[in-house]
Amino acid sequence: MDHKLSIFKPEKAMKANLKRIRSKVQAWSFKRGASGCSDRRLMLRYFSGLIYAATGGFIPHASAQSQAFPTKPMRFVVPFPAGGGVDLVARTIAEKISNRLGQSIVIENRPGAGTAIGTEIVVKSPPDGYTWLVSPVGGQGVLHAMKAKLPFDARKDLVSVGRIAYGTVALVVPASSKAKTVQELVAMAKANPGKMTYASSGTGALIHLTGEMFKLAAQVDMVHVPYKGTIQIIPDLIDGRVDMALDSLPAYLPHLKAGRLRALAVASRQRSALLPDQPTMAEVGLPSVVSFTDYGMFAAAGTPQDIVNLMNKEMLLALGLEDVKAKLAAAGIDVAPSSPDQMRAELIDEYKKWAGVVKAAGLKPE
């Protein structure tokens, strides 16, 4: 089938065709006898062509695998807890890819250390195409900007498979907050320097630096409160134990609709279709606060390129399905697939961007 990486097995056809070729060689030799060198060269070219045609252009190679790919279940490692945007993206495409490839795909949530724990698992996995990382692309740049010593470098130790989608980042406060606008929130923070808090899904992760970006732009002093993931933030935010979160939108939507939380703005360049009444940061006077989640897929360096290309193809097919687009759009996630090369270029840009934010914020890599 077209979704399998199969190796052509031409043994029977080759034997029959080569038998016919041998008879032609014998006939040629009998007719020509010990002809000159030019005849021998002509004969070699002639029969080389016959052999190529007889084998269908297939020349056996010692590294050729006789089995199709995949032959066993695969796993998608997600460096965040279940229930967040990255988890939703991974589960949505895994279902479609699993159905096409005929193998189950296990979602393995490995949160912590600003995505470093989950990323390292994939980096250290065998590069055989059975372990994949679904993670923010920009998050890798943030991670390396914030961590002085890491046992890996995503630019060298991972291969880019392709970008999956972009997600909306929104500024969210408890329903009980006195702030009804971003301007009011900023005024409260300026009146209480060092007392108000903002939550993130982990120190050194994208959402942490988005909060720092907000502090720089608004010129406020707020305390960072890190959590292991978005799902852990929400109960404390609802109860008012933290004052705000500038976070990926999907997990917050049910609570926004239920009135337990309130969104004040989005950090994208355009308003969100899910929050059409909420302004962008540029509209509230903070144009430098631009952040979004960019979901991508990676594999361990050394993964065969044909397997990487297969997964990119399967990812593109999954993202082209209307039900997939609708499911992700309902969570504020816009499908935006790319080639491996395009995603790698984006990864390099994100490294530069977030290194600049860390320097401007005066943060010290851990």
Side-chain angles (χ1 to χ4, degrees):
M1 297 177 67
D2 65 350
H3 58 265
K4 296 283 188 181
L5 277 182
S6 301
I7 302 300
F8 177 49
K9 298 180 181 180
E11 290 89 350
K12 291 184 179 179
M14 285 174 64
K15 287 179 180 179
N17 288 335
L18 289 172
K19 185 176 181 180
R20 287 195 292 271
I21 291 172
R22 276 196 296 270
S23 67
K24 289 181 179 288
V25 171
Q26 290 170 354
W28 178 289
S29 299
F30 177 78
K31 289 180 180 180
R32 304 300 298 177
S35 299
C37 180
S38 61
D39 275 353
R40 286 197 296 273
R41 284 198 296 268
L42 180 61
M43 182 177 72
L44 285 171
R45 287 198 297 270
Y46 175 69
F47 285 112
S48 293
L50 284 177
I51 291 170
Y52 186 85
T55 61
F58 174 81
I59 305 299
H61 191 277
S63 66
Q65 299 177 359
S66 60
Q67 296 182 337
F69 175 89
T71 60
K72 61 182 181 180
M74 295 183 285
R75 63 174 176 162
F76 283 5
V77 177
V78 177
F80 292 93
V86 181
D87 183 70
L88 172 65
V89 167
R91 292 178 188 277
T92 300
I93 65 169
E95 178 185 359
K96 302 301 182 182
I97 294 174
S98 173
N99 289 340
R100 279 185 51 84
L101 294 182
Q103 289 288 349
S104 61
I105 297 177
V106 177
I107 304 298
E108 187 174 322
N109 297 95
R110 299 300 294 267
T115 75
I117 291 174
T119 300
E120 187 175 3
I121 289 171
V122 176
V123 166
K124 291 183 175 180
S125 68
D128 55 8
Y130 288 96
T131 301
W132 307 86
L133 176 70
V134 179
S135 171
V137 181
Q140 292 297 330
V142 169
L143 181 63
H144 283 265
M146 286 296 295
K147 303 289 184 180
K149 294 182 180 180
L150 282 170
F152 60 84
D153 184 331
R155 294 167 294 185
K156 300 176 182 178
D157 299 319
L158 292 173
V159 293
S160 298
V161 179
R163 188 197 323 107
I164 300 169
Y166 287 120
T168 301
V169 169
L171 196 164
V172 181
V173 298
S176 59
S177 174
K178 295 179 180 179
K180 301 297 189 295
T181 66
V182 174
Q183 292 91 333
E184 290 178 358
L185 181 69
V186 170
M188 288 168 56
K190 287 184 175 181
N192 298 278
K195 294 182 180 179
M196 292 184 67
T197 57
Y198 77 94
S200 84
S201 51
T203 299
L206 175 70
I207 300 307
H208 173 203
L209 289 201
T210 299
E212 291 297 321
M213 184 187 290
F214 174 80
K215 285 172 56 179
L216 284 169
Q219 298 181 334
V220 294
D221 179 13
M222 300 180 74
V223 177
H224 173 225
V225 181
Y227 290 77
K228 278 195 172 182
T230 295
I231 298 304
Q232 287 70 36
I233 293 172
I234 291 174
D236 282 1
L237 188 61
I238 290 173
D239 290 341
R241 288 189 285 271
V242 286
D243 294 304
M244 62 163 269
L246 195 51
D247 201 354
S248 180
L249 182 59
Y252 292 86
L253 283 170
H255 306 285
L256 292 170
K257 292 176 181 178
R260 292 185 287 269
L261 295 171
R262 181 166 62 249
L264 302 185
V266 294
S268 48
R269 291 186 174 88
Q270 295 84 30
R271 290 196 179 198
S272 167
L274 293 176
L275 301 172
D277 295 331
Q278 302 308 320
T280 65
M281 287 292 184
E283 290 179 273
V284 298
L286 302 174
S288 62
V289 181
V290 177
S291 183
F292 45 80
T293 48
D294 45 355
Y295 308 97
M297 185 182 291
F298 302 86
T303 301
Q305 191 60 46
D306 55 355
I307 295 179
V308 171
N309 292 341
L310 171 71
M311 190 57 77
N312 178 266
K313 171 191 170 185
E314 293 299 329
M315 184 186 77
L316 294 179
L317 289 170
L319 295 174
L321 299 173
E322 291 304 319
D323 61 326
V324 170
K325 291 179 183 178
K327 184 175 183 178
L328 296 181
I333 299 171
D334 298 318
V335 167
S338 80
S339 69
D341 287 344
Q342 289 170 328
M343 181 174 136
R344 174 161 177 78
E346 183 174 321
L347 177 66
I348 300 302
D349 287 343
E350 291 294 315
Y351 264 68
K352 297 175 183 176
K353 170 184 173 181
W354 292 109
V357 172
V358 168
K359 183 177 180 179
L363 300 175
K364 293 183 179 180
E366 298 175 353

